């Protein structure tokens, strides 16, 4: 499209300030920027939108315009919302470099101009894959004002008729065009992607589900300024986003595959920008954690919490309660786990887990502060002021996070990412309402995580309410003692079951679970009481224990729990 057409569209609110002889220039895209030097994001033909935040003094105008003219942009459109009238220095600089200059009325959003240009250019160059990639790049590198991942996904739909969604590693939808993806399907796609990534298969990965075929592309920034590639896939597998496209990419031409790879890199740039916004919250959590662990005075911790509260809960007028969540990701030693820095892995994963799985969007983690100390991630979670959890007052509402609920929606996909050599364990404290209680909450969450670590399974959690149970003692029993204790009591029964195809171990578990009641246990196992008595007698004979004695019952119970 030509500049003249933009000027003739009244809804865009553009007023020409200079460059009337250049109105036949072709516009190939649009970019919004307030950088003093946006040259690395320009390729020529853009309509550049700016709010003039870069213009601090008159001398700034000349170098900015020179950069745009050298890059071959079509025109510059400056917003009047920031400074009112466009400064004369900018008008004169554009005149010297023969760069058309428009003023954008303060009542017109840049997004309105962006959408108009994108749709016009899209209609004129539909079907040209190179042009689509070019538009994507200009839109995404323009920062938040460019529209974010949703703009790219909209273009994939309008230009290539592709439905696509950006998903977190837990299957939560970050962005999408049109109808949201079904949560169960999104979880399945994320799990497939994590499993394929762990096996080393190259993307895109394909999966048939819900009557359709989906192609899954990893989202990683491999361009200039990207972080160094991970030495081990386990450093990033639990934190990388993915792009799910409802199509079978198996028979796509190379040009289309390159297009989608380019799109994933653009979304990765946006991911990097949004991750940078977490820096303040992470620093706040780190500062509070250091104060708590070094035994700082409660008044000093309370002052730091008052600083954190407006950042984590903007607009909250009263001091919140706080909960502490501790998480650890561990890898088996045989897999070279020593090469993986697990602290940042657990930190990024905990930031995602603490987001409500029903929440859509990348900005929903704005109220979560997670630090990491060694291989442990520690989250400081603010709660709106109100009654404390587990209150016995009639009519009160239980506040806060619950361990099992946190992992219920993410257990399946994360288990795929952890594969056969990884574990995630998580502990949740009770809520506290003051700085004095924060140290105890941290210790409580750590103890709860140890309880979770004593359980079988790749993804386990425990809450503060479980710390009153005998199972609190189990994580502190050394591994060699646990193995010797369970082997001495249970190995004779396992060997007998294996040789005779008996069921002494299941019988023992049922007998203890029924508190030694012969009738209830026989009914549960669908056995005659005499058959049950025979089996229990065999257990006592093989182990030298007496199941009528409380001490022996307790030993068997603990052995089964630790096995």
């Amino acid at each position: 499209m030509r500049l003249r057409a933009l000027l003739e569209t009244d809804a865009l609110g553009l007023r020409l300030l200079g460059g009337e002889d250049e109105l036949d220039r072709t516009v190939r895209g649009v970019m919004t920027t307030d950088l003093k030097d946006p040259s690395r994001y320009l390729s020529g033909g853009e309509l550049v939108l700016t709010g003039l935040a870069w213009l601090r003094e008159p001398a700034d105008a000349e170098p900015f315009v020179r950069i745009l003219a050298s890059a071959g942009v079509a025109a510059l459109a400056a917003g009047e919302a920031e400074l009112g009238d466009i400064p004369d220095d900018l008008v004169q600089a554009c005149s010297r470099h023969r760069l058309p200059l428009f003023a954008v009325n303060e009542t017109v959003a840049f997004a309105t101009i962006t959408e108009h240009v994108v749709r016009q250019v899209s209609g004129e160059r539909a079907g040209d894959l190179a042009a689509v990639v070019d538009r994507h790049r200009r839109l995404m590198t323009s920062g938040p004002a460019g529209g974010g991942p949703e703009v790219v996904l909209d273009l994939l739909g309008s230009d290539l008729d592709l439905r696509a969604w950006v998903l977190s590693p837990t299957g939560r939808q970050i962005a999408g065009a049109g109808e949201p993806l079904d949560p169960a399907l999104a979880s399945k796609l994320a799990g497939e992607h994590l499993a394929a990534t762990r096996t080393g298969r190259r993307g895109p990965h394909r999966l048939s589900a819900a009557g359709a075929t989906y192609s899954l592309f990893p989202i990683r920034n491999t361009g200039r300024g990207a972080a160094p590639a991970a030495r081990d896939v386990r450093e990033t597998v639990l934190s990388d986003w993915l792009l799910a496209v409802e199509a079978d990419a198996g028979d796509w031409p190379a040009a289309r595959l390159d297009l989608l790879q380019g799109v994933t890199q653009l979304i990765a740039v946006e991911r990097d920008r949004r991750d940078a916004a977490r820096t303040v919250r992470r620093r706040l959590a780190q500062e509070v954690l250091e104060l708590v662990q070094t035994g700082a005075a409660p008044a000093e911790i309370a002052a730091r919490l008052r600083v954190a509260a407006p950042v984590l809960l903007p607009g909250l007028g009263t001091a919140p309660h706080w909960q502490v969540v501790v998480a650890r990701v561990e890898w088996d030693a045989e897999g070279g786990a020593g090469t993986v820095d697990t602290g940042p892995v657990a930190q990024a994963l905990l930031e995602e887990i603490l987001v409500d799985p029903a929440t859509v969007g990348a900005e929903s983690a704005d109220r979560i502060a997670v630090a990491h100390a060694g291989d442990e991630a520690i989250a400081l979670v603010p709660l709106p002021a109100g009654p404390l959890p587990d209150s016995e007052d009639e009519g009160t509402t239980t506040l806060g996070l619950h361990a099992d609920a946190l992992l219920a929606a993410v257990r399946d996909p994360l288990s795929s990412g952890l594969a056969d050599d990884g574990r995630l364990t998580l502990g949740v404290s009770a809520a506290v309402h003051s700085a004095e209680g924060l140290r105890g909450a941290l210790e409580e969450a750590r103890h709860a995580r140890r309880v979770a670590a004593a359980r079988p399974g790749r993804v386990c959690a425990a809450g503060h309410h479980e710390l009153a149970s005998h199972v609190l003692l189990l994580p502190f029993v050394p591994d060699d003692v646990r193995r010797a204790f369970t082997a001495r009591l249970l190995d004779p029964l396992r060997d007998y079951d294996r040789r005779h195809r008996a069921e002494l171990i299941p019988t023992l578990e049922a007998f203890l679970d029924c508190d030694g009641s012969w009738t209830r246990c026989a009914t549960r196992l669908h056995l005659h009481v005499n058959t049950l008595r025979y089996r229990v007698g065999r257990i006592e004979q093989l182990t030298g224990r007496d199941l009528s004695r409380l001490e022996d019952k307790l030993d068997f119970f603990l052995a089964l729990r630790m096995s």
Side-chain angles (χ1 to χ4, degrees):
M1 67 178 301
R2 299 188 185 278
L3 289 174
R4 192 178 305 278
L6 289 175
L7 193 61
E8 293 170 352
T9 305
D10 294 338
L12 299 183
L14 297 177
R15 181 165 50 89
L16 184 65
L17 300 181
E20 185 173 358
D21 295 336
E22 305 293 333
L23 292 180
D24 287 327
R25 289 188 182 187
T26 300
V27 180
R28 295 189 176 89
V30 62
M31 190 191 86
T32 303
T33 186
D34 276 313
L35 297 174
K36 294 184 70 172
D37 180 6
S39 56
R40 57 180 172 172
Y41 302 127
L42 299 171
S43 61
E46 295 92 349
L47 170 66
V48 175
L49 305 173
T50 180
L52 299 179
W54 52 269
L55 187 60
R56 304 296 176 84
E57 56 187 29
D60 290 338
E62 172 63 24
F64 181 82
V65 173
R66 184 169 59 248
I67 288 169
L68 300 190
S70 299
V73 304
L76 173 65
E80 294 179 323
E82 183 76 17
L83 302 177
D85 292 337
I86 306 304
D88 290 339
D89 301 273
L90 181 59
V91 177
Q92 293 168 13
C94 288
S95 177
R96 284 193 296 272
H97 290 278
R98 299 180 61 83
L99 180 67
L101 175 64
F102 299 94
V104 182
N105 190 283
E106 64 181 5
T107 62
V108 178
F110 282 179
T112 300
I113 300 173
T114 298
E115 181 179 1
H116 179 82
V117 173
V118 168
R119 297 205 176 278
Q120 291 297 318
V121 174
S122 175
E124 293 172 6
R125 300 196 297 181
D128 182 350
L129 295 183
V132 174
V133 174
D134 193 38
R135 289 202 302 282
H136 290 172
R137 182 179 59 77
R138 284 197 291 273
L139 284 166
M140 288 300 294
T141 54
S142 63
E150 287 80 4
V151 171
V152 178
L153 301 183
D154 280 338
L155 286 174
L156 286 177
S158 62
D159 287 18
L160 302 180
D161 197 26
L162 293 175
R163 298 178 66 209
W165 303 265
V166 178
L167 304 178
S168 78
T170 65
R172 186 174 62 86
Q173 182 172 316
I174 303 296
E179 290 294 320
L181 200 60
D182 177 73
L185 176 58
S187 176
K188 184 175 183 178
L189 295 177
E192 171 64 22
H193 173 76
L194 291 174
T197 301
R198 286 303 315 276
T199 61
R201 287 158 46 198
R202 296 186 61 184
H205 314 303
R206 287 174 290 159
L207 172 69
S208 294
T213 299
Y214 296 85
S215 297
L216 312 175
F217 295 80
I219 294 177
R220 300 190 188 99
N221 186 1
T222 59
R224 287 187 302 175
R231 298 168 299 171
D232 191 312
V233 68
R234 293 174 295 182
E235 292 182 2
T236 59
V237 67
L238 298 178
S239 58
D240 282 346
W241 289 357
L242 67 135
L243 178 67
V245 181
E246 188 179 348
D248 188 346
D251 55 357
W252 280 5
R256 180 164 288 204
L257 286 172
D258 288 344
L259 165 67
L260 267 293
Q261 295 292 352
V263 168
T264 62
Q265 291 191 31
L266 297 176
I267 297 175
V269 172
E270 182 71 8
R271 164 76 186 274
D272 291 345
R273 284 199 196 96
R274 296 182 179 190
D275 280 351
R278 293 183 175 181
T279 303
V280 173
R281 299 190 297 277
R282 286 177 170 179
R283 186 169 65 246
L284 285 172
Q286 198 73 44
E287 291 173 354
V288 173
L289 175 63
E290 289 173 1
L291 290 174
V292 171
Q293 294 193 127
T294 55
E300 186 177 358
I301 299 173
R304 190 68 65 183
L305 290 177
R306 285 194 294 272
V307 173
V311 176
L312 301 178
L313 287 176
L316 187 67
T318 57
H321 301 306
W322 301 89
Q323 265 184 294
V324 176
V325 181
V326 173
R328 180 177 290 181
V329 174
E330 298 171 290
W331 306 100
D332 291 345
E334 292 91 9
T339 64
V340 181
D341 188 359
T342 57
V345 175
Q347 182 181 41
L349 185 56
L350 187 53
E351 286 172 333
E352 172 61 28
I353 289 172
L354 291 175
V355 179
D356 184 346
T359 303
V360 174
E363 303 298 339
S364 51
D366 284 348
R367 298 182 177 183
I368 296 166
V370 183
H372 75 82
D375 57 358
E376 190 177 62
I378 302 166
L380 186 66
V381 183
L383 304 171
L388 283 173
D390 303 323
S391 170
E392 296 180 0
D393 295 338
E394 190 173 338
T396 59
T397 302
T398 299
L399 291 177
L401 306 170
H402 298 271
D404 290 338
L406 278 177
L407 295 183
V410 302
R411 183 174 276 108
D412 288 345
L414 291 183
S415 295
S416 297
L418 293 164
D420 295 328
D421 61 345
R423 288 199 78 203
L424 166 67
T425 52
L426 184 146
V428 181
S429 79
V432 296
H433 66 278
S434 66
E436 289 87 345
L438 209 52
R439 183 178 181 85
L442 175 59
E443 291 304 313
E444 194 173 57
R446 282 175 165 160
H447 285 314
R449 194 209 61 79
R450 294 189 187 102
V451 170
R455 295 171 174 167
R458 291 292 167 190
V459 180
C460 297
H464 62 93
H465 60 282
E466 299 179 64
L467 299 186
S469 168
H470 63 276
V471 296
L472 174 62
L473 301 174
L474 300 185
F476 302 100
V477 179
D479 287 345
D480 56 342
V481 175
R482 291 158 64 102
R483 285 192 295 269
F485 181 73
T486 57
R488 186 165 57 252
L489 277 177
L490 301 183
D491 278 1
L493 307 182
R494 293 186 180 118
D495 291 342
Y496 188 89
D497 282 349
R498 187 167 47 251
R499 291 196 311 270
H500 300 280
R501 297 183 180 180
E503 295 183 349
L504 298 186
I505 292 287
T507 300
L508 176 62
E509 291 175 332
F511 186 73
L512 295 175
D513 194 44
C514 292
D515 298 323
S517 169
W518 296 99
T519 303
R520 282 195 289 126
C521 184
T523 301
R524 175 181 294 189
L525 297 176
H526 305 290
L527 297 175
H528 192 278
V529 171
N530 289 341
T531 303
L532 176 60
R533 291 185 183 278
Y534 171 81
R535 289 187 182 180
V536 170
R538 179 63 68 182
I539 291 171
E540 293 174 334
Q541 180 185 17
L542 291 170
T543 61
R545 299 299 186 103
D546 182 355
L547 277 169
S548 66
R549 299 177 66 246
L550 177 61
E551 299 95 315
D552 288 343
K553 286 181 182 177
L554 182 59
D555 282 350
F556 277 123
F557 178 80
L558 292 175
L560 289 169
R561 292 300 297 266
M562 290 191 294
S563 64

